[in-house]
Amino acid sequence: MWLTLPSLPVRATEHTLIAVKPDGVQRRLVGQIIHRFEQRGFKLVGLKMMQASEDLLSEHYREIVKKPFYPLVRAYMTAGPVIVMVWEGSNVVQSSRKMVGPTNGAEAQAGTIRGDFSFHVGRNVVHASDSTEGAQREIGLWFQENELLNWESCDQDWTIEANEDKQ
Ligand SMILES: Nc1ncnc2c1ncn2[C@@H]1O[C@H](COP(=O)(O)OP(=O)(O)OP(=O)(O)O)[C@@H](O)[C@H]1O
Ligand SMILES: Nc1ccn([C@@H]2O[C@H](COP(=O)(O)OP(=O)(O)O)[C@@H](O)[C@H]2O)c(=O)n1
Ligand SMILES: [Mg+2]
């Protein structure tokens, strides 16, 4: 039997900033990390490789910049290139945090990115924004507007139920 799928109204979408940290790049984990977000059904709308400057990093981590361990974070995060990405989808901020797992890989469950690829808080492979407001702020820090692409994904009707907006 064929399903008929009504075309979706344009929906307010959510975005998050995910970064593969220098250890993830060095350990050749970039592909596996991207794969997990693709597999979940989220849409990639921005991606680049860059060397983070200390200034950008202290803005990004403004909540921890005064913590005693921040110099370690700065050294870690500027030690090599990072991959920064913007992913789009329903509830993507919270879902990504769950996919990434808690800050300390030693406490992260197997099946999460940190639980599968790290066991030390200072080498935890990925960054994920922790709130929608934080995500907007971080996306604005790392990306120019013209680096984000608004493209139609052909599987959209199969990853989002059409009536979601009407409930
Ligand atoms: N005690 C620590 N020692 C060393 N590094 C730490 C420590 N605590 C945190 N970090 C590093 O600082 C980062 C920022 O800490 P934060 O509390 O924001 O964790 P997070 O939100 O899980 O990580 P991120 O913001 O990178 O996604 C951590 O991801 C980790 O790499
Ligand atoms: N005690 C800590 C806390 C954070 N960090 C580092 O700082 C990053 C940002 O901290 P955070 O509190 O925003 O945690 P996450 O959002 O990364 O889970 C972490 O991902 C770690 O790389 C650390 O090295 N030691
Ligand atoms: Mg954080």
Side-chain angles (χ1 to χ4, degrees), residues 33-126:
I33 291 166
I34 291 176
H35 184 233
R36 291 183 179 220
F37 290 91
E38 285 194 323
Q39 181 176 258
R40 188 81 189 263
F42 293 127
K43 185 163 91 176
L44 184 61
V45 298
L47 169 103
K48 63 182 171 181
M49 185 179 221
M50 59 187 280
Q51 172 69 45
S53 70
E54 293 193 1
D55 286 351
L56 173 59
L57 206 64
S58 59
E59 262 308 302
H60 173 81
Y61 278 140
R62 69 178 186 191
E63 265 127 47
I64 60 166
V65 85
K66 294 264 152 42
K67 301 257 168 117
F69 60 78
Y70 184 73
L72 291 174
V73 174
R74 184 177 55 214
Y76 163 43
M77 291 295 293
T78 56
V82 295
I83 302 283
V84 277
M85 300 177 273
V86 178
W87 288 88
E88 177 184 296
S90 185
N91 205 34
V92 67
V93 172
Q94 210 191 342
S95 296
S96 300
R97 283 300 288 201
K98 286 195 179 140
M99 288 164 71
V100 164
T103 307
N104 188 346
E107 288 159 15
Q109 269 207 328
T112 63
I113 295 171
R114 287 170 174 167
D116 287 349
F117 298 124
S118 84
F119 57 80
H120 193 279
V121 70
R123 295 289 184 270
N124 60 2
V125 179
V126 273

Side-chain angles (χ1 to χ4, degrees), residues 8-9 11 156-167:
L8 285 172
R11 312 178 54 253
Q156 180 161 293
D157 288 349
W158 299 99
T159 53
I160 307 165
E161 204 260 314
N163 288 324
E164 184 179 302
D165 288 335
K166 298 178 194 125
Q167 284 163 6

Side-chain angles (χ1 to χ4, degrees), residues 140-160:
L141 272 179
W142 291 86
F143 284 90
Q144 307 288 329
E145 236 171 80
N146 65 4
E147 292 175 317
L148 302 175
L149 296 185
N150 182 15
W151 57 284
E152 279 293 310
S153 64
C154 62
D155 66 352
Q156 180 161 293
D157 288 349
W158 299 99
T159 53
I160 307 165

